[in-house]
Amino acid sequence: GAVVSQHPSRVICKSGTSVKIECRSLDFQATTMFWYRQFPKQSLMLMATSNEGSKATYEQGVEKDKFLINHASLTLSTLTVTSAHPEDSSFYICSASRGVGQPQHFGDGTRLSIL
Amino acid sequence: AQSVSQHNHHVILSEAASLELGCNYSYGGTVNLFWYVQYPGQHLQLLLKYFSGDPLVKGIKGFEAEFIKSKFSFNLRKPSVQWSDTAEYFCAADYGGATNKLIFGTGTLLAVQP
């Protein structure tokens, strides 16, 4: 159990395009979902925490208007990278948790490449 | 600032060798600690976790970790590695509160040679 599906796994698009990434918990209800960004040979950096039905909480330095997060249901959260530029190219990973004190379960990640 | 350090970036071992991967966390009061593993082409999976109680935690696949509060450490160990243990290992800390946020170390890439 505790499967998290992330889609798409790979996106290549032109600069200026907006890209939406979906994160779904397939067999459990996720009170909280998290979005991370990982640069090559670096750690996962938390971008934002998303609670179902409320606004996401962004980490310091993460642009809210750039990275739009929606957590419309207990099984789905989306991250939209608006007007993406080459510097937004990265590996984006989501995770989902049943609640505080519960472990996070991770998706496979999305490789975003902006040309 | 709250942080997690993994000092071994790349470890190469032969099968049956013993493994110990270092993890240190910064002081931040109450802390929950985790080890995650990422096998090639797969997502992060939880190996083990420490919340409280016995500081020696046993996880899946024969892994264990020891929480040593005085050293701010949570090292991962396995007495005898297998080729299938080749993966990247991440230590992470949750400094408590109501957010369940994880701070990750930079990861250790383990390569086990047959």
Side-chain angles (χ1 to χ4, degrees):
Chain A
V3 177
V4 175
S5 171
Q6 191 172 337
H7 178 80
S9 58
R10 181 77 195 253
V11 179
I12 303 172
C13 57
K14 294 180 180 179
S15 185
T17 306
S18 292
V19 179
K20 181 185 281 188
I21 303 170
E22 290 188 349
C23 181
R24 294 180 184 271
S25 56
L26 297 185
D27 52 0
F28 68 101
Q29 293 188 326
T31 304
T32 309
M33 288 186 171
F34 302 84
W35 288 96
Y36 295 86
R37 185 172 177 176
Q38 187 179 27
F39 293 99
K41 299 185 180 180
Q42 293 189 31
S43 178
L44 281 76
M45 300 298 295
L46 180 65
M47 298 174 65
T49 303
S50 165
N51 289 297
E52 184 266 338
S54 61
K55 289 185 179 179
T57 302
Y58 290 81
E59 295 300 299
Q60 193 173 9
V62 178
E63 298 176 59
K64 300 178 183 181
D65 296 332
K66 177 73 168 177
F67 299 100
L68 300 178
I69 292 172
N70 183 275
H71 193 162
S73 75
L74 285 171
T75 59
L76 174 64
S77 176
T78 60
L79 167 68
T80 302
V81 184
T82 61
S83 187
H85 293 285
E87 59 266 28
D88 299 323
S89 298
S90 192
F91 193 56
Y92 294 87
I93 305 172
C94 76
S95 72
S97 169
R98 290 181 173 89
V100 175
Q102 298 297 315
Q104 294 182 28
H105 303 283
F106 288 81
D108 289 338
T110 297
R111 175 76 58 194
L112 176 61
S113 300
I114 308 298
L115 306 178
Chain B
Q2 295 165 345
S3 64
V4 174
S5 300
Q6 290 180 246
H7 308 295
N8 314 105
H9 298 295
H10 197 178
V11 173
I12 302 173
L13 295 173
S14 298
E15 276 194 313
S18 63
L19 169 72
E20 181 160 3
L21 301 182
C23 172
N24 288 92
Y25 63 95
S26 61
Y27 174 75
T30 302
V31 63
N32 298 325
L33 296 161
F34 305 79
W35 274 98
Y36 282 86
V37 60
Q38 187 171 27
Y39 296 103
Q42 296 187 28
H43 57 269
L44 283 163
Q45 300 174 42
L46 182 66
L47 264 183
L48 48 79
K49 61 186 178 186
Y50 172 78
F51 281 14
S52 64
D54 188 344
L56 185 62
V57 180
K58 294 194 182 299
I60 61 171
K61 304 186 181 186
F63 287 91
E64 65 178 32
E66 186 174 11
F67 171 63
I68 303 180
K69 191 174 181 179
S70 61
K71 295 184 178 180
F72 301 102
S73 71
F74 188 58
N75 292 355
L76 181 71
R77 299 195 294 248
K78 185 170 184 177
S80 176
V81 295
Q82 300 172 318
W83 177 79
S84 57
D85 293 324
T86 294
E88 190 156 18
Y89 293 82
F90 292 90
C91 182
D94 170 7
Y95 283 91
T99 61
N100 218 32
K101 288 167 34 174
L102 288 179
I103 297 174
F104 280 86
T106 51
T108 298
L109 193 58
L110 171 66
V112 179
Q113 297 174 332

